[in-house]
Amino acid sequence: MTVSPDLVCRDLVKDFDSFRAVDHVTFEVPQGSFFSILGPSGCGKTTLLRMIAGFQSPSSGDLLIKGRSMLGVPPNKRPVSMVFQHLALFPTMNIGDNVGFGLRQRGVARSEIKARVTQVLERVGLPGFSERRVEQLSGGQKQRVAIARCMVLEPDVLLLDEPLGALDLKLREHMKIELKALQSEFNTTFVYITHDQSEALVMSDKVAVMNHGRFEQIGTPHEIYYDPKTAFVAGFVGDANRFDAKVSAKSGSALSMVTQAGTQIEVEADASDLSVGQGAEIFLRPEAIELAKAQADLTVKTNTSVGVVTSVFFNGANSMVSLKDAKAGMSFNVALPQTGAFADLQPGDEVYTSWHPAKARCYAHDGA
């Protein structure tokens, strides 16, 4: 069954004098889905969100909510609500008054406000909190109040502008799970912007990766991580080893490459835009590299080399091991669990490495 979109943006452009902040962006967000816009600072994601909210007007293009164009519709007349990074709770009001503020502005009867505030606080896991003060709440509780204040208005689309950015790491990890659960509970369309790839990958049904005002790729978290369509996506989402190389031979999707360090490597990739002699960027996830203490123990027999451990970084359940190719001097990182045969690796240790040609991603070098 096809789900109709709650939000449609068509060829949106936003110019500030000679600077183009949003550059011909087109996408749809199905009803009841969690859609994240992921990108570095300055890529245009906040400008895009502000156009959806009505705080800024597009230079060209159109955006529709529930099939209705929002061009010329002021923010207070749009069926959207917005959670800001710093939440903007009113410190002089109790929680009930904070949540009911928008309803009072709409002239809703006091008895209905009380009933709706009570109901929405229960749904966000804060029953009986109406009389509490803002300063009595934890960071996570304040986040839920901010969402309750939006959801009590029953918006078609909830916009979230990096709402977890001000939280400490542990609370941020907890709130990622809570936010996704709340989105499922209300079955409301969430449009979420962030520069944190972990937030986007954990919570989203679809992720749009934005760079220089454009969408580089829209896909599921799995697609974005394992099948990045551009070099920017491959390098921005997740950790990756990056090598510059030239194509030395080509047969269909099979490519023989020579890196700048002189290492011969084999890659299986979409090679439609690559020709022999052309420069390319190769990206390889740290977890895609196999380690063994003897070459005979390697299960993958391609792209084998001997590496010397230069450093080991403890990262909780895993370690990131930095290696240098013993012959060509090419450096790369390998992700390893803390347990197993390599739990005691030390700088100076020598190990054998290999990786399957299909594990890498290869892109024509754009010269950037």
Side-chain angles (χ1 to χ4, degrees):
M1 183 178 68
T2 303
V3 180
S4 59
D6 265 355
L7 172 67
V8 177
C9 291
R10 295 177 180 161
D11 207 28
L12 278 184
V13 173
K14 180 60 181 178
D15 293 323
F16 295 98
D17 297 324
S18 61
F19 175 69
R20 178 154 290 180
V22 177
D23 190 3
H24 297 283
V25 167
T26 296
F27 66 100
E28 296 184 356
V29 183
Q31 192 278 326
S33 63
F34 199 123
F35 185 88
S36 289
I37 302 170
L38 171 67
S41 298
C43 73
K45 56 188 185 294
T46 295
T47 300
L48 177 57
L49 201 74
R50 290 177 64 82
M51 285 195 288
I52 298 169
F55 300 136
Q56 290 176 337
S57 300
S59 302
S60 62
D62 197 4
L63 66 93
L64 301 90
I65 298 176
K66 291 291 188 183
R68 177 190 171 202
S69 175
M70 293 290 108
L71 296 184
V73 178
N76 63 324
K77 300 296 183 181
R78 298 190 180 198
V80 303
S81 290
M82 190 163 179
V83 178
F84 297 92
Q85 181 173 357
H86 298 293
L87 305 183
L89 300 178
F90 302 113
T92 57
M93 296 182 185
N94 63 25
I95 302 308
D97 289 340
N98 261 285
V99 174
F101 178 80
L103 296 176
R104 290 196 301 277
Q105 295 298 107
R106 293 182 177 182
V108 177
R110 183 177 298 181
S111 59
E112 184 180 348
I113 292 174
K114 184 176 181 181
R116 287 172 65 175
V117 167
T118 299
Q119 182 185 51
V120 78
L121 283 175
E122 288 178 353
R123 292 185 72 180
V124 299
L126 298 174
F129 274 62
S130 286
E131 300 303 319
R132 295 201 189 184
R133 313 300 298 183
V134 173
E135 66 269 16
Q136 294 177 298
L137 303 185
S138 68
Q141 290 170 335
K142 290 176 184 177
Q143 291 284 341
R144 282 183 275 167
V145 170
I147 291 170
R149 184 173 60 181
C150 293
M151 298 310 299
V152 78
L153 300 175
E154 300 177 344
D156 291 325
V157 180
L158 181 63
L159 309 174
L160 301 102
D161 184 4
E162 305 207 47
L164 307 185
L167 303 180
D168 63 67
L169 178 60
K170 189 168 184 178
L171 182 54
R172 202 157 62 235
E173 293 296 314
H174 174 70
M175 284 306 300
K176 285 190 294 190
I177 308 301
E178 281 214 4
L179 266 180
K180 180 59 180 174
L182 286 170
Q183 187 267 330
S184 298
E185 162 71 19
F186 285 98
N187 194 33
T188 298
T189 301
F190 278 26
V191 178
Y192 186 98
I193 68 170
T194 181
H195 64 270
D196 186 320
Q197 55 185 283
S198 174
E199 291 178 11
L201 295 177
V202 167
M203 295 187 289
S204 309
D205 299 308
K206 287 287 183 73
V207 180
V209 182
M210 194 171 189
N211 184 36
H212 295 309
R214 290 179 174 268
F215 280 0
E216 298 253 344
Q217 183 176 350
I218 301 175
T220 65
H222 189 277
E223 290 167 343
I224 293 291
Y225 188 83
Y226 287 107
D227 191 21
K229 298 302 183 185
T230 69
F232 176 80
V233 176
F236 185 75
V237 179
D239 294 321
N241 296 291
R242 178 189 174 279
F243 313 121
D244 286 318
K246 282 189 177 181
V247 180
S248 60
K250 174 181 175 181
S251 177
S253 62
L255 299 169
S256 293
M257 319 282 291
V258 178
T259 70
Q260 287 185 333
T263 305
Q264 181 80 29
I265 58 178
E266 305 300 321
V267 176
E268 289 180 16
D270 176 7
S272 57
D273 60 344
L274 288 169
S275 56
V276 175
Q278 187 173 1
E281 297 172 273
I282 300 170
F283 292 85
L284 180 67
R285 299 291 185 198
E287 64 269 22
I289 300 173
E290 181 185 7
L291 289 190
K293 293 189 175 180
Q295 188 167 9
D297 294 335
L298 292 170
T299 59
V300 177
K301 304 302 182 183
T302 51
N303 297 312
T304 60
S305 65
V306 181
V308 177
V309 177
T310 57
S311 57
V312 179
F313 299 98
F314 177 79
N315 188 26
N318 299 293
S319 286
M320 187 68 74
V321 179
S322 293
L323 302 172
K324 179 173 284 189
D325 186 287
K327 291 184 291 184
M330 186 172 66
S331 297
F332 51 94
N333 295 325
V334 182
L336 290 175
Q338 296 292 0
T339 58
F342 298 98
D344 59 349
L345 273 183
Q346 299 294 324
D349 289 349
E350 214 173 62
V351 291
Y352 290 86
T353 66
S354 66
W355 49 273
H356 194 280
K359 294 293 186 179
R361 293 294 178 266
C362 189
Y363 310 91
H365 206 300
D366 62 5

